[in-house]
Amino acid sequence: MFKVLTLAALVSLAVPTNANEITAEFLKKELELAHSQYIRGSSDSALYALNALARILELDSAKTLQTELGPNNLAFTYLRIGLIYEHEGDQHQANSYFAKAMNAHQGEKLKLAELKAYITKLDKSAAHLILI
């Protein structure tokens, strides 16, 4: 619980007051924080960090930062949130986020199972790089 509260405080202090203040460096740090919580944190801290990241990515309406850091960060964030809900047995919430992920995904159209497999492989290969 303390980790979640500490994470909440850090994220709330880090979130800029408007979308014009979001920089690529800020977004990169938020991506790293959310991903580390997803890989190594509790479900609660991961959901909190990933939802905060999703809100930030949604603010980037011009897609400028998403283009600079990769066009599918929002889709991958939604997919990871869905995977957490699926793991917790909340299939309704999981399906909602999976639908968001599929709608946000850019590039070659993949089936949900293919996207899940891709993210799972990506996260397993990155897990050893993340230090908390």
Side-chain angles (χ1 to χ4, degrees):
M1 182 64 170
F2 179 72
K3 274 186 168 181
V4 173
L5 292 176
T6 303
L7 178 64
L10 290 174
V11 171
S12 66
L13 291 173
V15 175
T17 55
N18 73 47
N20 293 332
E21 296 176 21
I22 299 173
T23 64
E25 188 61 33
F26 170 81
L27 185 56
K28 185 177 179 183
K29 288 180 182 180
E30 289 300 309
L31 283 164
E32 290 170 358
L33 174 66
H35 196 242
S36 71
Q37 289 303 307
Y38 175 73
I39 297 294
R40 303 255 191 233
S42 68
S43 293
D44 288 340
S45 64
L47 282 172
Y48 189 90
L50 289 169
N51 276 302
L53 176 61
R55 286 190 299 275
I56 292 167
L57 291 169
E58 290 163 354
L59 287 174
D60 186 23
S61 58
K63 308 293 185 226
T64 310
L65 297 171
Q66 291 181 45
T67 301
E68 188 173 331
L69 296 176
N72 284 311
N73 285 311
L74 183 58
F76 295 165
T77 300
Y78 287 148
L79 186 72
R80 288 179 176 114
I81 293 170
L83 288 170
I84 293 169
Y85 281 121
E86 185 174 65
H87 180 73
E88 291 183 341
D90 189 343
Q91 199 59 49
H92 178 73
Q93 278 287 75
N95 289 341
S96 173
Y97 279 96
F98 291 152
K100 286 182 175 187
M102 296 303 289
N103 288 332
H105 186 262
Q106 297 178 25
E108 180 184 347
K109 287 298 173 197
L110 301 173
K111 294 179 182 176
L112 179 58
E114 294 171 315
L115 201 52
K116 283 180 176 181
Y118 175 75
I119 289 298
T120 300
K121 182 179 178 181
L122 185 67
D123 290 341
K124 283 183 181 177
S125 68
H128 72 283
L129 300 174
I130 296 175
L131 303 172
I132 292 187

